[in-house]
Amino acid sequence: MAKRVLVVEDNELNLKLFCDLLRAHGFVVEPVRDGREAVAKARGFLPDLIITDIQLPHMTGLELIGLLKADARLRGVPIMAVTAYSGRDDEERVRAAGANAYVTKPISVVRFVGEVRALLPE
């Protein structure tokens, strides 16, 4: 059974890139452009992994991670943060919020796929 990945990204080019990469590696993908829709979409889609940008309109990725971790049905789902923030303090802050992985933009395709695979063992 293919693993399911929810991708939360407001930038259309990044959203397409992430979804295309994941589909090419056999994942079922559900794209979401707005963090406000992400929790409800995750409840219906029941992803094995959630990938989220940290800079989102209307709510930050940190706020979204907090909402996901507060939801009993979703708190066990690993979260990979993808962000343009690249400072050491940024990574610590994102991981402290509950992210299991941290990938900086522009992404390395090899690193992106490697992090996904590490979070979703066969």
Side-chain angles (χ1 to χ4, degrees):
M1 185 89 163
K3 300 280 185 168
R4 302 162 65 82
V5 182
L6 183 80
V7 179
V8 186
E9 171 63 68
D10 63 311
N11 179 289
E12 287 295 324
L13 291 175
N14 287 336
L15 184 64
K16 180 174 178 7
L17 172 63
F18 300 162
C19 290
D20 288 350
L21 273 171
L22 292 163
R23 287 183 184 115
H25 285 86
F27 297 100
V28 175
V29 180
E30 182 69 33
V32 179
R33 289 165 184 79
D34 189 327
R36 296 175 298 184
E37 302 167 18
V39 174
K41 187 70 82 167
R43 286 182 185 137
F45 182 63
L46 298 176
D48 298 295
L49 172 66
I50 298 168
I51 297 174
T52 185
D53 187 11
I54 294 301
Q55 291 179 280
L56 294 167
H58 311 296
M59 81 166 49
T60 68
L62 295 176
E63 291 168 324
L64 174 58
I65 291 169
L67 291 173
L68 293 165
K69 292 299 181 181
D71 188 292
R73 289 184 288 171
L74 301 172
R75 74 172 46 116
V77 177
I79 298 172
M80 183 169 96
V82 182
T83 181
Y85 297 132
S86 60
R88 185 77 179 131
D89 292 343
D90 296 319
E91 181 173 358
E92 289 171 5
R93 193 175 76 243
V94 169
R95 287 187 182 274
N100 304 86
Y102 178 89
V103 176
T104 57
K105 295 177 187 174
I107 66 160
S108 153
V109 171
V110 172
R111 173 137 192 259
F112 180 87
V113 174
E115 290 286 350
V116 169
R117 292 220 181 274
L119 292 168
L120 293 175
E122 296 297 321

